[in-house]
Every structure is written in C-alpha cells, then in structure tokens.
Amino acid sequence: DTGVSQDPRHKITKRGQNVTFRCDPISEHNRLYWYRQTLGQGPEFLTYFQNEAQLEKSRLLSDRFSAERPKGSFSTLEIQRTEQGDSAMYLCASSFLSPPRAGVSSYEQYFGPGTRLTVT
Amino acid sequence: RKEVEQDPGPFNVPEGATVAFNCTYSNSASQSFFWYRQDCRKEPKLLMSVYSSGNEDGRFTAQLNRASQYISLLIRDSKLSDSATYLCVATGYSTLTFGKGTMLLVSP
C-alpha cells in the first residue's frame, strides 16, 4: 500500500495523559500536513512540514501540541496533558512540493485514515 | 464569516437525479479549489480539482466563478454509492481550507 498511513487508528486516553501519533506520507511527497476534525466540521489545519522544516502552525495548535518530522519522512504529533476538548479525528495528509506533471496541482493533498482520539 | 461556506444539507435525492452543491469562499487570493468526498468515519478523498474553465469527470462537473467567489459541483445520474459528505476546499497560502461539508443521501 503506497498511500498515507497513520498509527494508531484509535486511541483512548485519560485526561492529563500524553499521546503521540505517527504519520507516514506517500514516499515521493515533500509536504506533510496535520489536520483535526470534529463531528460536523470539515478538517481544520494544524501544521505542515516541507521536508523536515515546519513552515506553518495554526492558532489551533496550543503549547500542548508539538509536531516533528526529523528526517523529512514520517512525522509525529504529540499532545501533552490531554483535555476532553482534544477528542477528535487527527488526520495527516501529504502532497508534492511542485506539480509532478501537467494537470496536477501541487496543492492536491492525500489523506491517511486518521487517528481517532477519545479523551475520557 | 467562515472562509469556506457550504449548505450542510442533507440533500435527499432519488437514484438517477441530478443534484448541485454550491460553496462560497472569502479569500480572494485563493488560487486552487477542490471537491473532496468523505464517507462516514473515513478520511476525505480527493474527488476533483476545480479549474477556471470548468471541468468534468464522468457524472461530475465542477465550476468556478472567481468574480462571485463561488464553486459548484454537479452530480448527474446519482448512484446510491454517491451518498457521502462533499467538502469544498480553497487554498490558503500553502494549505487547504475546508468547508463543513454538504451531506448527500441518495435513496433507491
């Protein structure tokens, strides 16, 4: 399977615990994105990487959230001291940096299956 | 004002019907636009990009009106398998801004 993969698929944790999620992008893609989605909402942007550089962070990304992409391949998203409001689906996506061929936008992002976080 | 707005629906249509969704965006600097499809409890999947000249992919037609800042998706000959939430997307500076989605329910 050459798509985006995420691990774990589901995580239940108690309030105050730390959690870490992993994303493996499509191997040819330079950019990697993290989104959060709650019920009835579209995905909301959290942060993105171009290779190993974290280029943008949303205001949604509080100090308790940190993301890394140390070698420009997989990425991790850590949430410290989880709160019930952190319960959501955490989606990872990847894309090319520049259009790979005519007719394909570099903005086309491909999503992984997500990690569903439940904080009790 | 939300950056990308969509009617949440649901749109209930019979098989074979034609249905259209509209979406408006507020960032006039947006350059690229997309429609994604999301099934219940699954990840969004890219349905089609939206080009200024309009584009068609089988039963699906997307249109972009930059002057009015709206995007549309037309689905002809609806199938049961088209039942899903359709997410309208506009680019920010380097990222995607999603609408809340429009739910489509196609019934036999």
Side-chain angles (χ1 to χ4, degrees):
Chain A
D1 186 351
T2 56
V4 179
S5 62
Q6 292 187 246
D7 183 69
R9 297 289 302 277
H10 303 275
K11 179 71 177 179
I12 300 173
T13 191
K14 292 184 178 178
R15 188 162 49 99
Q17 298 294 304
N18 299 345
V19 294
T20 300
F21 310 141
R22 175 178 170 128
C23 170
D24 287 86
I26 294 171
S27 57
E28 312 89 80
H29 286 178
N30 310 92
R31 287 185 170 175
L32 185 150
Y33 307 79
W34 285 99
Y35 292 85
R36 181 175 71 186
Q37 187 174 24
T38 53
L39 196 62
Q41 303 292 318
E44 295 173 295
F45 168 75
L46 293 177
T47 188
Y48 93 95
F49 293 83
Q50 183 168 299
N51 299 314
E52 65 275 9
Q54 188 173 17
L55 295 188
E56 190 173 337
K57 291 194 285 188
S58 160
R59 286 171 293 178
L60 290 176
L61 212 66
S62 76
D63 291 344
R64 297 184 296 106
F65 288 70
S66 61
E68 294 183 342
R69 195 183 183 197
K71 297 182 180 178
S73 56
F74 73 91
S75 175
T76 57
L77 177 69
E78 181 182 16
I79 309 174
Q80 295 182 326
R81 305 181 303 283
T82 52
E83 301 173 356
Q84 287 186 321
D86 297 332
S87 296
M89 174 77 91
Y90 289 84
L91 292 160
C92 175
S94 67
S95 73
F96 288 104
L97 171 59
S98 54
R101 60 184 180 277
V104 177
S105 166
S106 59
Y107 286 108
E108 290 181 2
Q109 295 182 17
Y110 296 87
F111 284 81
T115 294
R116 186 169 297 279
L117 173 67
T118 303
V119 182
T120 61
Chain B
R1 181 183 172 188
K2 292 286 286 184
E3 292 188 51
V4 177
E5 294 200 56
Q6 299 180 249
D7 180 342
F11 284 57
N12 288 282
V13 302
E15 270 186 293
T18 295
V19 62
F21 308 136
N22 293 324
C23 140
T24 58
Y25 62 94
S26 61
N27 184 357
S28 58
S30 292
Q31 292 295 313
S32 299
F33 307 89
F34 305 94
W35 284 99
Y36 277 74
R37 170 198 168 123
Q38 187 169 28
D39 294 294
C40 187
R41 301 181 75 83
K42 300 283 192 180
E43 75 272 24
K45 291 187 186 294
L46 179 64
L47 180 65
M48 58 197 304
S49 300
V50 186
Y51 303 121
S52 296
S53 54
N55 49 301
E56 189 173 309
D57 183 2
R59 298 181 294 108
F60 299 84
T61 301
Q63 297 275 355
L64 168 63
N65 184 320
R66 285 191 185 273
S68 301
Q69 294 185 203
Y70 86 78
I71 306 150
S72 65
L73 177 68
L74 183 77
I75 305 175
R76 291 180 298 278
D77 188 24
S78 299
K79 311 291 185 191
L80 294 176
S81 58
D82 293 333
S83 296
T85 295
Y86 291 82
L87 298 162
C88 176
V89 185
T91 55
Y93 295 104
S94 301
T95 62
L96 303 183
T97 301
F98 286 80
K100 292 185 177 183
T102 298
M103 184 181 291
L104 172 65
L105 299 171
V106 182
S107 55

